[in-house]
Amino acid sequence: MKNSAERLIWFKGDIMPVSEAKINVLSPSSQFGANVFEGLRAYWNDEDEQLYIFKLSDHINRLLQSIKMMRFECNYSADFLRQSVLDIIRANKFKEDIAVRQTIFLDGFGSWASTDPTDMFIAPIEKGRQYPVEKVGIECCVSSWERISDKSMSPKIKMGANYMNSRMGQMEAVRNGYDSTIFLNDQGKVSEGPGSCIFIVRAGQLITPPVTASILESITRATIIDIARNDLKLNVVERDIDRTELYIADEIFLCGTAVEIVPVIGVDRLPVGEANKGLVTQRVEQLYFNIVRGYSNEYKIWLTPVYER
Ligand code: PMP
């Protein structure tokens, strides 16, 4: 992995070392978190000598939706947004697993209600597994903070400011000796983690909150629903989940581009199932990593190769 000083980023149309990129301290982005972004991953496949970006077009679509909902004035085409991601990864010549942050931000000297000028940066960032691999799973609490809702700050918009709600929950969890947290929404139903969606297993059924449960419309969540139905032949249900169902679930895992798939082995100090990585979680995880790394021909349609071969 490159050290961060030599790492190149895409910044306002140029490719430059990260240390040279400067943003106005008075910009609405730096003052109020007025930006929208995507977090992508790309996985290196040794056999194919190829770096595969997972579901690039889905990320670009969601970025365009966030831009629209925030009423940012800009005219980026999907093709330009996709091509710029490829350009900056190629410029860095990465041959390893990477994460990429693509951010559209409100620049200049404006207020929280400005709609322009907007600009973009794309930064490949060092990121292995979020939690140490030797850890079987994580301990979570149910947050005393409520998840933001579509009535106030929509969790469907992947904007910087939303993560201050995540911050409150995550900091509380760590203060109290947990690894992470699970939010309830304004209806008191299970919503999501601070940067991930949630699945529980009950009696062999895979259950996840619906997209109306105050969640980000997660690309990993949609992937897992697809592959669990089509390949694992599991019964997958999108429905509200009660807090107490977390206490009696057989298995729970969090999912997202960054966290990938992480078993939750305890909630509020009650063990989840055998407090181990459950069978369903193992099967989903194995299939997911096969697909993202490019070992499944059937699912290569979800991958964008970075290098020409
Ligand atoms: N919920 C939140 C709040 C997130 O920040 C993320 C990470 N982007 C997710 C869910 C998972 O989304 P995805 O699978 O698209 O990465």
Side-chain angles (χ1 to χ4, degrees):
M1 186 60 79
K2 288 178 182 307
N3 76 42
S4 49
E6 338 160 24
R7 202 196 321 127
L8 299 172
I9 73 165
W10 191 109
F11 185 72
K12 298 186 176 188
D14 289 320
I15 287 181
M16 61 177 73
V18 63
S19 53
E20 286 174 22
K22 307 253 183 309
I23 287 185
N24 186 339
V25 289
L26 292 176
S27 67
S29 179
S30 49
Q31 288 193 84
F32 309 114
N35 56 65
V36 295
F37 68 98
E38 282 299 315
L40 305 104
R41 271 194 190 262
Y43 292 86
W44 177 251
N45 180 315
D46 251 339
E47 269 169 40
D48 298 357
E49 293 216 347
Q50 185 58 273
L51 188 60
Y52 291 115
I53 308 175
F54 186 59
K55 288 200 165 178
L56 175 59
S57 291
D58 295 39
H59 282 282
I60 298 299
N61 283 343
R62 191 170 63 186
L63 187 59
L64 287 166
Q65 289 173 356
S66 293
I67 290 170
K68 182 177 186 187
M69 290 185 278
M70 290 288 274
R71 298 168 190 268
F72 282 177
E73 281 176 42
C74 52
N75 296 310
Y76 297 114
S77 70
D79 275 347
F80 176 76
L81 293 172
R82 253 194 310 270
Q83 188 58 46
S84 308
V85 171
L86 287 168
D87 290 346
I88 189 58
I89 300 177
R90 285 179 188 146
N92 280 285
K93 302 188 173 71
F94 286 114
K95 289 190 167 184
E96 61 213 297
D97 296 352
I98 54 162
V100 182
R101 173 72 45 84
Q102 181 171 29
T103 301
I104 312 284
F105 58 95
L106 270 182
D107 204 359
F109 172 40
S111 82
W112 34 261
S114 308
T115 54
D116 69 344
T118 54
D119 224 309
M120 175 163 74
F121 72 80
I122 310 173
I125 49 180
E126 285 81 1
K127 197 152 199 166
R129 301 290 314 256
Q130 183 130 331
Y131 293 100
V133 273
E134 58 281 3
K135 220 170 150 84
V136 181
I138 61 169
E139 294 277 347
C140 289
C141 57
V142 172
S143 186
S144 74
W145 296 94
E146 186 178 288
R147 186 71 182 132
I148 45 175
S149 89
D150 215 59
K151 290 188 287 192
S152 51
M153 290 177 79
S154 179
K156 282 195 212 313
I157 311 176
K158 199 165 163 61
M159 64 169 136
N162 278 359
Y163 286 80
M164 295 306 101
N165 175 241
S166 302
R167 173 188 168 92
M168 299 309 264
Q170 180 64 24
M171 288 179 81
E172 175 190 56
V174 170
R175 234 177 10 249
N176 293 330
Y178 295 95
D179 298 301
S180 193
T181 195
I182 298 165
F183 286 101
L184 304 182
N185 60 27
D186 59 349
Q187 307 297 311
K189 302 296 180 188
V190 172
S191 166
E192 61 180 347
S196 55
C197 279
I198 186 168
F199 282 85
I200 70 171
V201 179
R202 293 194 65 193
Q205 206 175 48
L206 194 54
I207 309 167
T208 191
V211 289
T212 48
S214 295
I215 66 170
L216 179 73
E217 294 192 2
S218 152
I219 291 162
T220 319
R221 173 186 172 281
T223 304
I224 290 171
I225 292 174
D226 263 8
I227 61 178
R229 280 189 183 139
N230 298 335
D231 299 81
L232 304 179
K233 309 294 177 206
L234 290 172
N235 183 4
V236 185
V237 184
E238 295 176 66
R239 67 155 174 83
D240 280 336
I241 296 175
D242 277 331
R243 173 182 189 152
T244 46
E245 290 190 86
L246 300 174
Y247 300 152
I248 53 175
D250 303 319
E251 301 177 33
I252 302 179
F253 62 86
L254 301 179
C255 73
T257 303
V259 298
E260 299 167 314
I261 290 162
V262 180
V264 176
I265 54 172
V267 177
D268 288 347
R269 301 280 176 235
L270 287 171
V272 176
E274 308 286 313
N276 223 324
K277 192 188 287 181
L279 274 178
V280 174
T281 309
Q282 282 178 40
R283 292 176 69 205
V284 170
E285 186 183 48
Q286 196 183 14
L287 188 56
Y288 181 78
F289 281 112
N290 256 337
I291 291 170
V292 296
R293 207 169 277 289
Y295 292 128
S296 157
N297 281 332
E298 188 189 345
Y299 286 111
K300 278 218 164 128
I301 42 164
W302 286 346
L303 310 181
T304 303
V306 170
Y307 301 112
E308 278 168 22
R309 291 273 171 253

